[in-house]
Each structure stands twice: as C-alpha cells, then as structure tokens.
Amino acid sequence: MKKETIFIANWKMNLNIHTSEKLISVSREIIHENKKNIKIIFCPQFLLIPNLSRFFVRNSNFYLGAQDCHYNVNGAFTGDSSIDLLKKFNCKYIISGHSERRTVYKELSDDVCKKINLINEFSLLPVLCIGESIEDRKNKNYLNFLSKQILDSIPENTKQLLIAYEPIWSIGTGIIPSVEEIEEISDFIKFCVNKNFPDIQDLKILYGGSVNSSNFEKIITISNINGCLVGGSSINEEEYVKMLKKLI
Ligand code: PGA
C-alpha cells in the first residue's frame, strides 16, 4: 500500500453552492472508500459549510475543514465564526495561520497559538501554516524564521498536528521550491517539532504553494511529506481530477 496521502483543498473565497457540491461528487466518483490511504479535506468558505455538512456525517476518505476560526468560542467579534458551530456542522480540521490571514489580517503567531489551543480543546485537528517571505529566503534567514513560527504558534497541549509548509513566495505565483528545498524544510520541521514538542505523537507535514497536476506527484513522493495543501488548482475541476487520479 502506498503511504497515506492527505490532500487539503483550500477553496479560499471561491466556489458557490453548485460548484462546491459538484467537486465533492466528482471526488467520490474517483476515490473509493476502500482507499484507506487517501484523505481529502475540503475547506470551503464559511457560508458553504452548512450546506456541505450533510456530505460529511460519517467519516470516509472525505472530511470537511474550515479555513480559520476565532480563538474565543463566542463574544463580541464582528465578522468572525465560532468553532462551536464549525464542529456542529461536521468540520474536523481547521486551518490556522494561513499566510493570507497573517499578512492581510495581521494575525500573529500568538493569535494562531490561541486558536490551536481552542481547536485542541474541541478535539478537532489543527492545520498550522508556516512559510517564509522571499526576503527571508534570499537572506538565508528562513530556518530561523520558520523555527520561530513553529515555537510561537504551537501550544503545549498539542498531541496531533498537521503543519503545512507554504512559502509565501510560492502561493499563487506558479513558482515552487525544488525537491531538495522541500526536503530540507520537511526534515527541519520534523526535527524542530520533535525536539520542542515531545507530546506530539502524530505529526503530518504537508507542502502548499502552486501545487498543480504537473508537480503534485513529485511533491507527494518526498519522504517526509504526507500530502499537499492546494489552493488554485483545487477549484479547477480538470486540474483537480488529474491530481486525484495520481493518488489512486
Ligand atoms: P495556491 O495556494 O495553491 O493557489 O498557491 C495555496 C494556499 O494558499 O494554500
């Protein structure tokens, strides 16, 4: 059996009721339930979640996830959504600290840490996103930067975690790091987490940033990489189907 591969479809603020249902039904036609080594996690925008929730009542290869949550359960936080409702609507995974949240909404690792703490309390699974800017890459400061993001974003009580390495310079640009560069980072993440968070028994490392049907296979075969977090190519049906077919 091939190693377990996780595919997170980060739909961002895209798709509608019809197109989101279509991508889910297409996925079910391609990936059969007996493929225990494949996990597809759909992360739609919040308003699609109540409608899609009915497809995820029981666990199979397909899971529902959210793109973010607040670090409080309720309160005066205009525009935010509560983890309590995300859980009730069958979300199992929650992305935290995506670089678009960190740069556009000025979220700090400290906020991300509080979110992951709450995700742990609700027995959901956190997907922590980390990634350096092009300046940190060029200045060879990227390992320092990533290690600080890891140390500052992960709370003590974490036992199970997915970390998506998403270099900011690769998201939506069509530029991806080399296999050797992804290998270096995935080994580094594993080392850094094992050293500083010995309670984490289940760590999965994903790569994200300009993943498409041409580079997908090469990335998922990297030894410490357990899957991909895919944005743009996960909402393009043709591209998405090509990637799914490489999993079976
Ligand atoms: P992309 O986005 O695949 O469109 O580069 C990835 C992400 O932002 O999660």
Side-chain angles (χ1 to χ4, degrees):
M1 188 164 102
K2 284 191 198 165
K3 71 174 180 180
E4 183 189 64
T5 307
I6 300 166
F7 185 110
I8 303 187
N10 179 15
W11 289 345
K12 307 192 181 186
M13 202 172 69
N14 296 299
L15 302 184
N16 57 36
I17 292 181
H18 173 70
T19 50
S20 59
E21 286 185 6
K22 172 95 193 302
L23 282 182
I24 291 170
S25 70
V26 163
S27 314
R28 286 181 192 270
E29 282 162 23
I30 298 172
I31 310 278
H32 297 285
E33 284 194 22
N34 59 359
K35 297 272 176 203
K36 299 276 181 255
N37 57 333
I38 302 172
K39 238 181 216 171
I40 314 285
I41 301 159
F42 301 98
C43 298
Q45 49 180 318
F46 287 125
L47 277 176
L48 290 174
I49 289 175
N51 178 55
L52 298 177
S53 165
R54 67 188 194 280
F55 298 115
F56 303 91
V57 174
R58 71 188 174 84
N59 292 339
S60 60
N61 308 73
F62 305 99
Y63 296 85
L64 192 56
Q67 297 173 15
D68 186 36
C69 70
H70 197 272
Y71 52 74
N72 283 293
V73 183
N74 294 112
F77 302 104
T78 303
D80 269 307
S81 280
S82 169
I83 191 167
D84 192 30
L85 282 176
L86 294 174
K87 186 167 179 169
K88 288 203 170 80
F89 282 116
N90 298 327
C91 286
K92 184 109 180 150
Y93 292 81
I94 303 193
I95 297 176
S96 258
H98 190 282
S99 66
E100 285 151 16
R101 304 286 325 167
R102 292 181 190 262
T103 49
V104 184
Y105 300 95
K106 311 286 174 240
E107 273 186 21
L108 305 171
S109 289
D110 188 38
D111 303 318
V112 176
C113 187
K114 288 192 239 166
K115 291 179 184 199
I116 297 183
N117 192 36
L118 191 66
I119 297 167
N120 291 338
E121 276 176 25
F122 271 72
S123 304
L124 299 179
L125 292 165
V127 181
L128 166 65
C129 295
I130 59 170
E132 80 283 0
S133 65
I134 192 66
E135 291 76 26
D136 280 313
R137 170 64 54 174
K138 282 186 179 154
N139 297 337
K140 307 232 177 297
N141 185 43
Y142 55 96
L143 293 182
N144 281 338
F145 181 86
L146 294 172
S147 109
K148 184 156 171 46
Q149 273 195 328
I150 290 172
L151 291 176
D152 292 350
S153 305
I154 305 178
E156 288 291 317
N157 63 358
T158 309
K159 305 264 182 306
Q160 223 181 330
L161 181 67
L162 289 83
I163 297 186
Y165 169 56
E166 300 206 300
I168 299 173
W169 47 275
S170 178
I171 295 178
T173 60
I175 303 167
I176 65 156
S178 66
V179 166
E180 292 71 30
E181 285 170 331
I182 299 176
E183 251 163 13
E184 181 197 23
I185 303 296
S186 53
D187 293 350
F188 176 75
I189 292 173
K190 200 168 170 200
F191 166 79
C192 189
V193 170
N194 286 345
K195 181 168 168 234
N196 295 290
F197 301 94
D199 287 347
I200 299 184
Q201 297 300 323
D202 185 2
L203 171 70
K204 298 278 189 304
I205 302 169
L206 313 181
Y207 170 77
S210 293
V211 177
N212 59 36
S213 64
S214 322
N215 55 35
F216 180 65
E217 210 166 4
K218 186 173 75 178
I219 297 169
I220 57 173
T221 44
I222 297 174
S223 70
N224 274 332
I225 290 291
N226 305 100
C228 287
L229 200 166
V230 189
S233 299
S234 74
I235 54 168
N236 172 325
E237 189 176 328
E238 204 185 317
E239 272 292 289
Y240 174 61
V241 165
K242 279 191 194 162
M243 287 186 280
L244 285 197
K245 287 192 172 159
K246 291 187 194 291
L247 286 174
I248 52 180

